[in-house]
Amino acid sequence: MAAHRSGPLKQQNKAHKGGRHRGRGSAQRDGKGRLALKILSKKVRKELSRVDQRHRANQLRKQKKEAVLAEKRQLGSKDGPLHQVLVVPLHERISLPEAFRLLQDKDTGTVHVNEWGSTHSFMLLCPRLKHRWFFTSARPGDLHTVLDMAKVADTIIFLLDPLEGWDSTGDYCLSCLFAQGLPTYTLAVQGVSGLPPRKQIDARKKLSKAVEKRFPDDRLFLLDTQQEAEVLLRQLANQKQQHLAFRDRRAYLFAHAADFVPSEENNLVGTLKISGYVRGQTLNVNSLLHIVGQGDFQMEQIDAPMDPFPLNPRVIKSQKDPGMAMEICAPDAVADMEEDLKVLMKADPDKQESLQTEVIPDPMEGEQTWPTEEELSEANDFLKKSSKVVKKVPKGTSNYQAEWILDEDGESGGEDEYDDIEHGDFIEEESQDEGSEKEEEEEYETMTMGESVHDDLDDENVDDEAEEKMLEKYKQERLQEMFPDEVDTPRDVAARIRFQKYRGLKSFRTSPWDPKENLPQDYARIFQFQNFTNIRKRIFKEIEEKDVEGAEVGWYVTLHVSKVPVSVYEYFKRGAPLIAFSLLPHEQKMSVLNMVVSRHSGNTEPVKAKEELIFHCGFRRFRASPLFSQHTAADKHKFQRFLTADVALVVTVYGPITFPPASVLLFKQNSNGMHSLIATGSLLSVDPDRMVIKRVVLSGHPFKIFTKMAVVRYMFFNREDVLWFKPVELRTKWGRRGHIKEPLGTHGHMKCSFDGKLKSQDTVLMNLYKRVFPKWTYDPCVPEPVPWMKSEISLAVPEVDME
């Protein structure tokens, strides 16, 4: 009988390779006492089955849905704050009164119109939708008004044009709002019904493509009829709310009414009474209050009047005639009912936050003993002997006379004078040769405008001095790009005097530098945290867990703010919005703020370090002169002389402490009074120990080259300077490194050795460093900008000839 043999198509299963079995002892020996991660995780976290995991995920999803629904129901409800809506028209053809007329529907609910100067607003109470809206408006040209209103708005309605969407002013407004942080927003198109029927569909398609770049996946709502306005209101009521971090951790309030009571001593200062709905967090009377654009103040007490805009008005029946009833919902009627006014809290002087912003420095804090009379008399004799002044000294003076030159320059403030010139770090000295003077004249001739361009300009509106300054800035920025940090060695002042505050470093990254060394006098006025990150975490944790006594979110309250200038009340009466934020602990104190910013693409003008700029940092607005530095992870950060494009830089400035996250906007005030956006970013940290190091590069040229030795000239111009800077390392543009061996002669020539042979076209460089600090120019009062016009937004950039 023949045996069965499998054919070539027999299934061949893959062999199981389980590996050699190991016992517990061998596994412990290989692990050397270490336990596997799976064994550790079992003790800490209980492993769930697949059914339990699915059940837990459903529970978390349900909790999140309930939280979102609770937030929607509270906003605009009878117990919550009003749903504040900001309406911003993004095109000059949009009719804002027409949009407000459609939203003010008597059939939808009760309308209360209020007009403060130029700010038009109205209240819409809709019992059918169980919602309360407060509509305000702001034109894109009123920059401060738009940004301030967006800080407290729950929803922003952008009104678009059916043909163009937005104009240049609206585009500029959107750039500022996106940089500051947008709350919930909705897009509405006005004027589609006015187009011919054939063009309506095409206009909507073109507008959807244009809008998709800035607002991806957002729906466009029409606003031409009463039915479309009702659909828009339903969208506002059911829309998910977006959060802004800097306002969710603080209590804030938009003033619906204000009153001023002057003090008995001075009519210019008094108590400001602000009425509005509490938002964000619980408001405590002992905390400080920041009025946007005005400063920080203390509160005396918080009153709780009756809500002037209840969703369901209270009805009071008359005792004489039961058929007559009166609805109480107007503010005038509420003011007459004194029994409804009650005091919630009064400030406790022991628990109230202090308004101290700066440390009062003690000039004698470091003194150990008081000088005796003998020491004072010796000092006076020394001052009398050293009162001689030597202005000019010919070449070849002795060391004794050179020492007198050093002391005299130090006392006369020569170094400070050079530092003031050094804001741009380009020292322009008068050339000694006639050839260099001709080259400078030729440069200025090439930068003058042609006759055809000059004829098109309006001579009356051109400021020649401002044009020259701007042209000089463009020239300096171009020179900085071509020759970074290079500075000409002055010939009228010794280099050891001119650069006496600088030092050489073996390595900019690894060489040590004490952050407490040679601090300026302004550092005695600021506050510093031992660990800023830990204090920030602790304060935020207290906000989430600790129950604070005070006015709850949604209550209508009246704040009594003490020692407020009357100008704040006049500012509100002119139609400007009055917005108040409560401050977290330490936020009224001055320190050093570090912000990460990027240059705005629409700005092309050069921005120099230490120029006065306008800051919008979170809920604050102030003016200051910042420093620019590189955004790196090292302990030292290189100073940047200009705000460069396409690179994130760190802006360092003196300012009040603010806990991040907070958005940052940098504006520059032009000569015509308008504010142009130059950079956007966010707050990085509050750290005075962050070191900003300025670098200057001295350049010399090889005169004679002998293999690895070379004679270098034009870096210094006297023998003493060569000996002074001898320990500093040299480098070349082509990567060679070396050091100074000895000086040659008396005209600044020096013998240098390098790690390789030098090329004749190479350049010898010396890097010098010093730490720089910002200027104390903090000013909380920012002037009102001139409204932006459509024709003013285009920027003209002059061309600079660098040949």
Side-chain angles (χ1 to χ4, degrees), residues 329-524:
C329 62
D332 296 337
V334 174
D336 295 337
M337 302 181 66
E338 298 181 356
E339 66 273 7
D340 292 334
L341 183 64
K342 61 180 180 180
V343 178
L344 279 180
M345 293 182 67
K346 286 193 175 183
D348 187 359
D350 297 333
K351 298 180 180 179
Q352 198 169 23
E353 291 282 347
S354 174
L355 281 173
Q356 182 183 1
T357 59
E358 302 176 14
V359 179
I360 302 175
D362 185 6
M364 303 301 295
E365 186 178 0
E367 292 292 331
Q368 299 294 328
T369 58
W370 189 261
T372 61
E373 294 181 359
E374 296 179 357
E375 292 174 346
L376 291 174
S377 61
E378 290 179 2
N380 291 331
D381 295 339
F382 179 75
L383 289 175
K384 290 180 181 179
K385 292 180 182 179
S386 61
S387 60
K388 297 180 181 180
V389 177
V390 181
K391 294 184 178 179
K392 293 183 180 180
V393 176
K395 295 183 179 179
T397 55
S398 63
N399 294 332
Y400 179 75
Q401 291 172 327
E403 291 176 358
W404 284 103
I405 295 173
L406 285 172
D407 293 339
E408 190 274 327
D409 286 342
E411 292 175 359
S412 62
E415 177 68 22
D416 296 335
E417 186 175 316
Y418 275 99
D419 283 343
D420 293 338
I421 299 174
E422 203 181 79
H423 296 335
D425 287 300
F426 297 98
I427 304 171
E428 296 187 0
E429 48 182 317
E430 297 181 358
S431 59
Q432 302 291 333
D433 302 333
E434 295 178 359
S436 61
E437 292 179 357
K438 292 180 180 179
E439 290 177 0
E440 290 180 359
E441 292 176 359
E442 291 176 359
E443 286 183 0
Y444 282 107
E445 289 178 358
T446 57
M447 286 185 285
T448 54
M449 293 184 179
E451 294 182 357
S452 60
V453 179
H454 187 270
D455 293 338
D456 296 336
L457 297 176
D458 186 5
D459 294 340
E460 296 179 357
N461 297 330
V462 174
D463 188 355
D464 295 335
E465 185 177 357
E467 289 290 323
E468 288 295 330
K469 290 182 179 179
M470 184 58 63
L471 194 60
E472 188 64 25
K473 279 187 182 180
Y474 278 108
K475 180 180 178 181
Q476 292 179 3
E477 187 181 28
R478 189 72 62 83
L479 284 173
Q480 173 64 17
E481 294 177 0
M482 295 170 61
F483 308 101
D485 300 330
E486 290 195 27
V487 178
D488 293 334
T489 306
R491 304 190 64 177
D492 55 344
V493 179
R496 62 186 182 278
I497 301 173
R498 169 64 187 85
F499 303 109
Q500 61 184 346
K501 293 184 179 180
Y502 290 81
R503 68 181 70 176
L505 295 178
K506 180 69 175 177
S507 171
F508 181 79
R509 185 178 61 87
T510 60
S511 296
W513 196 309
D514 187 6
K516 304 296 184 183
E517 177 186 354
N518 294 331
L519 297 178
Q521 190 65 28
D522 290 335
Y523 263 52

Side-chain angles (χ1 to χ4, degrees), residues 640-686:
Q640 295 291 321
R641 292 167 171 82
F642 288 89
L643 183 64
T644 55
D646 301 329
V647 178
L649 297 180
V650 176
V651 174
T652 303
V653 68
Y654 290 113
I657 293 172
T658 305
F659 291 102
S663 59
V664 173
L665 283 77
L666 269 65
F667 292 88
K668 182 179 179 181
Q669 185 169 0
N670 302 328
S671 57
N672 54 6
M674 293 187 298
H675 293 176
S676 58
L677 181 65
I678 62 172
T680 60
S682 61
L683 182 62
L684 176 64
S685 65
V686 180

Side-chain angles (χ1 to χ4, degrees), residues 579-602:
I579 298 168
F581 278 83
S582 68
L583 298 182
L584 299 179
H586 312 296
E587 282 195 329
Q588 79 278 11
K589 301 172 183 177
M590 294 291 292
S591 188
V592 178
L593 306 183
N594 301 307
M595 315 168 188
V596 181
V597 300
S598 299
R599 187 167 176 173
H600 187 246
S601 58

Side-chain angles (χ1 to χ4, degrees), residues 76-78 82 103 105-112 123-133 135 230 233-234 237 309-313:
S77 64
K78 61 178 182 178
L82 297 175
L103 294 172
D105 186 12
K106 301 294 183 181
D107 299 333
T108 305
T110 308
V111 178
H112 299 280
M123 200 80 61
L124 179 60
L125 310 177
C126 182
R128 179 163 54 89
L129 296 177
K130 299 180 181 180
H131 213 82
R132 298 186 294 175
W133 287 280
F135 288 89
E230 188 173 350
L233 288 175
R234 289 185 178 274
F309 305 105
L311 186 60
N312 298 312

